[in-house]
Amino acid sequence: MTASSSAEPSVDLVTLGQRLRHLRRSKGLTLDQLSDAVGRAPSQLSLIENGKREPKLSVLQAIAGALGVPLQDLLRPEAPSRRAGLEIELAHFQQNPAYQALGLPVVRAGRRLPADALEALIGMHRELNRVLTEQSATPEVARRANAQLRAEMRKRNNYFAEIEQAAANVLRSVRHTTGPLSQRGILDIAAQIGFTLHYVNDLPSSTRSVTDLKNRRIFLPQVASGKGHDPRAVVLQTLGHFVLGHNDPADYGDFLRQRVEVNYFAAALLMPEKFAAEFLSAAKADKALAIDDFRDAFGVSYETAAHRFTNLATHHFGIPVHFARVHESGIVYKAYENDNVRFPSDVTGAIEGQPVCRKWASRTVFEADDPYSSFYQFTDTTAGTYWCTVHVESTSAGLFSVTVGTPYEHARWFRGGDVTGRTVSNCPDPDCCRRPPAELVDRWAGNAWPSARVHSHLLAALPPGTFPGVDNRDVYDFLERRA
């Protein structure tokens, strides 16, 4: 910051004002006395103390000099006292557009406001903010949050160095020196972090695990959920929240980010970066990169191996990739790309819930003679030619394809990169695969009335609560039984 600039943008003006007022009063100075010392009008200093004016650095330096304190004391982000902290919180709540839209008066939180009245106001504002947040947590909010997170992942090539480092530190702490992580290693990690694992048969149905922070216990289901969750990954994801320093999610976007981070953390433990990169490097040298081999080498699911490959492929080998998990109906459930492939998206930028082109490997695999065998395909698209390797898995919700793809020039590093199978996709042109052939239109237009299957979860608001979808009553009843 130069001498002519204003206070740093990251400095909260309300907090700055509170610190200035607190320091002035602690020195026994009135506004008039301080104004004489710094050569500024009392009204100007009053605006600064009330958080209504952004002071220049020269003014702050003069004030700090007059008060006999370092400039940094004025700029500290924390409130000078608990009372001041509550006054700052009230000021922020009242500056919220949602509150201002109610047309209610602004309450001055000066010394004349009793402490119990201030506490009551803060409590009501917190509850109002919670209710407004829950009401706004619509599917559109979720889709926008997901699109924003995916953009961040793309920017980082889906590689999170800080999580890789955290996982490496944990592995060193339990003296894990080579290869895949064993069940014994997972128990050692839990103990190292200070938790014990308990497998139960009455876990609340809305949860995959429940952690008792009071007694440092993690409760897990005795049997797998049947939804494709690796029980080892569930443990490591739970531990990841504590290793990565997560707090209660502030909103749905924060909840989603935490989910991505703990999934990454678990994969980084099950497939440690050092050993995974060495394995992939050797396979690349042989021009035999294969998600199947990667999966088998570390004893994880195909989807976990595919995700982990996208973490490491660009960072370590300069190979841009895309990943997709697509239902047999053609709907995208998960997707990621940093290779410029053009996934279908809605107006919010969300990919999830959109139908992919019928010519893409994610869908043509379902028409293969043996869809459960290794499947490879080149696809010419409007964004270029891509090579894909696809695996089909069967779940209680139907068949899903898991696809890893890369631009044409990188196919040479993969097993199956010399496949001759090829399709042409012109989507989003409706003539590519959306519009029925003319002869079918002539025969059936006006003579068909399908009853659509409405996915009601796409219309409903997200489940309320700090952890969306979790029934706190069930969780607390469960912990009380286990106490």
Side-chain angles (χ1 to χ4, degrees):
M1 178 162 49
T2 64
S4 61
S5 68
S6 296
E8 291 282 2
S10 59
V11 174
D12 179 74
L13 297 183
V14 179
T15 305
L16 171 62
Q18 284 282 355
R19 295 196 65 82
L20 171 53
R21 181 181 290 119
H22 177 80
L23 290 169
R24 174 178 63 78
R25 288 174 176 170
S26 69
K27 300 294 183 180
L29 296 176
T30 65
L31 270 176
D32 288 336
Q33 290 171 327
L34 183 59
S35 71
D36 290 340
V38 299
R40 301 284 174 172
S43 59
Q44 182 180 353
L45 297 181
S46 178
L47 289 172
I48 297 173
E49 287 193 355
N50 289 317
K52 296 181 178 179
R53 172 169 292 183
E54 184 177 2
K56 293 183 179 297
L57 178 61
S58 57
V59 175
L60 288 179
Q61 289 173 329
I63 291 173
L67 295 175
V69 298
L71 175 61
Q72 195 58 37
D73 279 5
L74 287 175
L75 300 177
R76 292 187 189 280
E78 63 270 12
S81 66
R82 183 177 183 279
R83 165 79 188 210
L86 292 174
E87 293 183 7
I88 291 169
E89 189 174 3
L90 179 62
H92 285 158
F93 276 132
Q94 294 183 140
Q95 290 171 358
N96 191 311
Y99 177 77
Q100 294 177 350
L102 298 175
L104 298 174
V106 173
V107 177
R108 290 285 304 276
R111 284 186 291 181
R112 295 181 180 178
L113 183 66
D116 56 350
L118 178 60
E119 295 272 8
L121 285 169
I122 290 294
M124 286 190 292
H125 273 286
R126 287 173 179 169
E127 181 63 14
L128 174 64
N129 193 59
R130 183 189 67 80
V131 171
L132 290 174
T133 299
E134 287 184 4
Q135 289 176 346
S136 66
T138 62
E140 181 180 348
V141 171
R143 290 195 293 272
R144 290 188 185 277
N146 211 23
Q148 182 177 355
L149 179 60
R150 194 174 61 255
E152 172 65 18
M153 293 164 64
R154 183 190 307 119
K155 182 179 179 181
R156 302 176 66 162
N157 290 321
N158 205 18
Y159 179 83
F160 291 71
E162 67 278 13
I163 301 180
E164 297 284 359
Q165 186 60 56
N169 291 341
V170 167
L171 291 172
R172 278 196 296 271
S173 73
V174 295
R175 295 184 172 85
H176 180 78
T177 57
T178 185
L181 184 64
S182 66
Q183 182 63 30
R184 177 70 257 172
I186 292 174
L187 292 172
D188 290 343
I189 289 172
Q192 180 76 16
I193 300 173
F195 286 94
T196 56
L197 306 182
H198 303 263
Y199 293 88
V200 298
N201 60 7
D202 61 341
L203 205 64
S205 60
S206 61
T207 66
R208 288 191 293 175
S209 69
V210 172
T211 302
D212 174 357
L213 296 175
K214 183 184 298 185
N215 298 297
R216 308 292 286 182
R217 299 169 179 166
I218 297 176
F219 295 98
L220 300 146
Q222 285 182 344
V223 295
S225 66
K227 297 181 181 178
H229 297 139
D230 184 334
R232 297 175 304 161
V234 173
V235 177
L236 297 176
Q237 289 161 7
T238 303
L239 294 172
H241 286 295
F242 307 105
V243 173
L244 301 177
H246 288 164
N247 297 312
D248 286 355
D251 51 34
Y252 186 79
D254 194 29
F255 168 78
L256 192 61
R257 177 187 58 79
Q258 290 185 9
R259 284 286 296 272
V260 168
E261 289 182 352
V262 297
N263 286 342
Y264 192 117
F265 176 78
L269 289 176
L270 291 171
M271 309 178 78
E273 180 178 23
K274 179 178 184 296
F275 311 121
E278 289 174 351
F279 178 88
L280 293 174
S281 180
K284 180 175 180 287
D286 291 337
K287 295 185 177 181
L289 286 171
I291 306 301
D292 311 69
D293 293 350
F294 197 32
R295 170 199 61 190
D296 296 342
F298 289 88
V300 297
S301 69
Y302 189 94
E303 185 174 347
T304 296
H307 267 299
R308 190 63 175 141
F309 182 79
T310 67
N311 298 152
L312 305 174
T314 308
H315 179 78
H316 284 279
F317 309 110
I319 301 175
V321 291
H322 66 265
F323 165 92
R325 185 170 188 260
V326 176
H327 189 257
E328 58 185 317
S329 63
I331 299 301
V332 177
Y333 273 59
K334 296 179 184 177
Y336 159 79
E337 56 80 19
N338 70 347
D339 60 358
N340 295 317
V341 72
R342 294 176 184 170
F343 282 114
S345 63
D346 64 14
V347 293
T348 69
I351 290 171
E352 293 73 17
Q354 300 300 304
V356 300
C357 178
R358 296 171 187 269
K359 307 294 181 63
W360 283 18
S362 297
R363 294 190 68 174
T364 60
V365 65
F366 295 115
E367 302 169 3
D369 293 336
D370 183 5
Y372 296 99
S373 297
S374 297
F375 184 86
Y376 313 110
Q377 177 182 299
F378 281 104
T379 307
D380 297 327
T381 76
T382 56
T385 298
Y386 292 88
W387 173 88
C388 294
T389 176
V390 191
H391 170 81
V392 172
E393 58 184 21
S394 179
T395 75
S396 58
L399 299 178
F400 284 85
S401 65
V402 177
T403 303
V404 173
T406 191
Y408 175 88
E409 60 269 25
H410 297 282
R412 67 184 186 276
W413 305 117
F414 292 81
R415 181 184 303 145
D418 56 353
V419 66
T420 57
R422 197 180 198 97
T423 62
V424 178
S425 168
N426 293 317
C427 280
D429 182 347
D431 286 330
C432 175
C433 69
R434 300 283 189 271
R435 185 172 291 155
E439 62 273 17
L440 292 182
V441 173
D442 292 340
R443 188 177 309 160
W444 292 106
N447 294 300
W449 187 284
S451 179
R453 174 179 292 174
V454 178
H455 298 283
S456 59
H457 64 281
L458 297 177
L459 306 176
L462 293 170
T466 303
F467 301 93
V470 172
D471 188 322
N472 281 340
R473 172 65 184 271
D474 285 351
V475 171
Y476 296 157
D477 285 346
F478 167 81
L479 290 175
E480 190 64 23
R481 291 197 304 272
R482 293 290 168 177

